[in-house]
Amino acid sequence: TSSTSSTSSTSSSTSTSSTSSTSSTLTTTSTTSTSSTLYSPCTGDAIESETMIGTAYTPEGFRATSSAHTSVTATGEGSVSNWITTRSGVDSLFTTGSDFDGTKYTVPEDGYYFVALHERFDSIASTSIRGFIKLDGVTDYNNGLLSIAGNVNANYETLSTAGVLKLTAGTEVQSAFYSATDSSFSIQSECGFNVFRVPVTEGVMAYKKVTQPVVNRLSEYTTAMCYGNTSSASFLLGGTFSRGEYTAQEAGVYILSANQAIDNSDGTFTSMLIDINRNDDPRSGFRSIAHDTFSANGFSLHVSGVAQLDAGDTVRARVEADDLDYNIMPGSSFSAVRINTTSAFNAVISSSTSVTSAGWTSVTDFQVSGADGLFALGTDFNAASGLYTAPVDGYYLASANVRLTGTAGTYFRANLISSGDNSDQASTIQNGMMVIRGSSPLSDELHLTSNGVFYAQ
């Protein structure tokens, strides 16, 4: 189990760091990448050098939850149009302006935006379902923010995806879903949708455009990833990116996200890890695992959080399975971006926790050292209690990756909650951060990932 959290800004209009006392604000201004020429790994063509887009940083965006269930009565693609940014008892929802109309978000300024989506499907039986992000109304699974599940027959199923995109002013960002064969199911009111501008100082967002077969290998690093194409929101800004691996240009706190779409995996398990410095160490907190995937018609693995990296450290996504013949599919993506902050942490639990009763259980007893990427910047995180206390009013990126074993109940939830929200669980599960999975008779293990930006005082 891992939990990660990072501050995005303070309440000061131009600040990009969270501080524990009054201090000077930090601003991000337009700069040019240190690279003079970049080459597209997809075509081999030279592309224009990246230039940081956007003006001095200001916090912009929203976090929303759906106001009611959406009944779906047809196969194919649909969208949630009842997003809300205020709800009684849920103070951590927010919007910074009038750019979100309840269906789509219109980007107010050029910049780099953290985008997260949690869509809950209920009573779904389909050969394939998808949750994904659309840009300017275009269905493009190659923009990297896609989650899929195949041969689904579940009462409860949340599809989640997240990452950082380069977006220009006027771009419309919208959530969408798809069902291949089921024409009668519901999208529950416990969904979440989040777009927030983050103060990126370097990094990459890359996606797969072609299928990567994995043959006679138990593990494989995701390679042949694309960036810099004018039709996508991908980018390379500072640092280096080669064969799916990013090398940090400067030390700092990095937001790391990976979404891997897998097909034709017939093993008992498939896992994905954001690998730091090629250590292949799941204790960094960036691992997602799926069990008994032999019956799946394609599925996604997703993980997101923050890590502290030194200059020259490397990060990349790695997939492992006990199947010697499967595919890493187009739509897979990876992003790693450095942000300015003075309060953040990445922690994993010290040992497995036995849960002996139904209901909610708080995850406690964390450690912030012992593996690359683990850290605590500032004194705002209490590792024993698992509580992070906001040092100032502002916007905070939070992530949790929870691995459950021995699961035999009808369903399991994971949630990130704020003390500013109502303690009533009926309200809290509708904060846009809750994810749920129904248990499978084929597996006694589940992985749940939640992430998004909170407004906190």
Side-chain angles (χ1 to χ4, degrees):
T1 308
S2 66
S3 176
T4 58
S5 177
S6 172
T7 58
S8 291
S9 70
T10 70
S11 55
S12 178
S13 62
T14 59
S15 172
T16 64
S17 73
S18 178
T19 59
S20 56
S21 62
T22 55
S23 63
S24 59
T25 60
L26 301 175
T27 58
T28 300
T29 57
S30 179
T31 61
T32 303
S33 167
T34 57
S35 301
S36 57
T37 305
L38 302 176
Y39 292 87
S40 168
C42 294
T43 64
D45 298 330
I47 61 175
E48 183 179 355
S49 297
E50 282 280 338
T51 299
M52 185 177 290
I53 63 172
T55 58
Y57 174 76
T58 54
E60 296 167 319
F62 72 94
R63 192 177 102 240
T65 185
S66 47
S67 61
H69 307 333
T70 299
S71 296
V72 182
T73 58
T75 59
E77 185 179 306
S79 63
V80 179
S81 58
N82 57 359
W83 297 109
I84 54 174
T85 56
T86 60
R87 171 169 255 150
S88 177
V90 186
D91 292 339
S92 60
L93 297 173
F94 69 92
T95 183
T96 61
S98 58
D99 304 301
F100 184 56
D101 65 4
T103 298
K104 61 183 182 297
Y105 178 73
T106 302
V107 175
E109 290 189 62
D110 295 356
Y112 304 88
Y113 290 77
F114 178 81
V115 182
L117 176 66
H118 306 293
E119 289 184 323
R120 174 180 165 178
F121 295 72
D122 273 21
S123 302
I124 181 75
S126 180
T127 57
S128 179
I129 59 173
R130 301 176 182 181
F132 57 99
I133 295 296
K134 295 174 67 171
L135 302 179
D136 288 329
V138 177
T139 299
D140 180 8
Y141 299 139
N142 288 334
N143 69 22
L145 294 189
L146 164 73
S147 182
I148 63 175
N151 290 336
V152 178
N153 188 353
N155 286 331
Y156 319 102
E157 184 81 17
T158 297
L159 297 184
S160 299
T161 186
V164 175
L165 303 180
K166 179 178 73 174
L167 301 175
T168 55
T171 301
E172 294 180 347
V173 186
Q174 184 177 1
S175 66
F177 60 84
Y178 169 86
S179 170
T181 56
D182 193 338
S183 61
S184 179
F185 61 95
S186 66
I187 301 295
Q188 265 278 0
S189 61
E190 296 168 14
C191 299
F193 184 25
N194 187 189
V195 181
F196 192 79
R197 188 182 179 196
V198 289
V200 170
T201 53
E202 71 163 283
V204 68
M205 190 282 177
Y207 64 94
K208 285 200 68 62
K209 195 174 182 178
V210 296
T211 300
Q212 179 180 340
V214 181
V215 181
N216 294 327
R217 291 186 296 278
L218 290 176
S219 65
E220 179 76 346
Y221 292 100
T222 306
T223 60
M225 303 191 76
C226 307
Y227 58 84
N229 297 42
T230 57
S231 62
S232 75
S234 61
F235 60 91
L236 175 62
L237 179 70
T240 58
F241 187 69
S242 177
R243 291 187 57 80
E245 182 176 67
Y246 183 75
T247 302
Q249 179 176 319
E250 295 185 29
V253 175
Y254 285 74
I255 303 172
L256 306 179
S257 299
N259 304 280
Q260 303 292 293
I262 311 298
D263 197 16
N264 294 329
S265 178
D266 296 325
T268 58
F269 84 93
T270 305
S271 72
M272 182 265 294
L273 173 73
I274 297 181
D275 192 9
I276 301 175
N277 291 327
R278 305 188 183 186
N279 285 334
D280 193 20
D281 190 351
R283 294 178 302 163
S284 65
F286 291 99
R287 188 188 191 207
S288 177
I289 189 168
H291 272 263
D292 298 305
T293 56
F294 51 82
S295 62
N297 180 28
F299 60 94
S300 287
L301 298 170
H302 164 62
V303 70
S304 186
V306 297
Q308 189 173 51
L309 303 179
D310 292 326
D313 282 354
T314 61
V315 287
R316 59 181 174 179
R318 183 182 68 80
V319 177
E320 179 183 7
D322 61 352
D323 180 14
L324 296 178
D325 184 6
Y326 61 95
N327 297 319
I328 303 174
M329 299 298 293
S332 300
S333 67
F334 172 69
S335 62
V337 298
R338 179 167 58 89
I339 60 171
N340 286 328
T341 183
T342 59
S343 179
F345 75 92
N346 178 24
V348 296
I349 59 172
S350 303
S351 61
S352 298
T353 300
S354 296
V355 180
T356 57
S357 62
W360 289 96
T361 299
S362 296
V363 184
T364 60
D365 297 324
F366 286 89
Q367 64 185 55
V368 293
S369 61
D372 283 349
L374 299 180
F375 73 102
L377 187 62
T379 59
D380 306 304
F381 178 61
N382 185 317
S385 66
L387 294 176
Y388 176 82
T389 302
V392 294
D393 296 358
Y395 301 93
Y396 295 80
L397 171 63
S399 300
N401 306 303
V402 183
R403 180 182 178 185
L404 305 175
T405 61
T407 53
T410 55
Y411 66 85
F412 296 84
R413 303 178 191 261
N415 201 3
L416 281 162
I417 58 175
S418 165
S419 60
D421 294 341
N422 195 319
S423 60
D424 172 41
Q425 295 294 350
S427 299
T428 303
I429 63 175
Q430 295 180 332
N431 68 354
M433 302 290 285
M434 199 283 302
V435 294
I436 188 171
R437 291 283 305 276
S439 64
S440 168
L442 301 177
S443 174
D444 67 348
E445 182 162 338
L446 295 173
H447 190 101
L448 301 169
T449 296
S450 177
N451 40 66
V453 175
F454 284 74
Y455 175 75
Q457 296 179 320

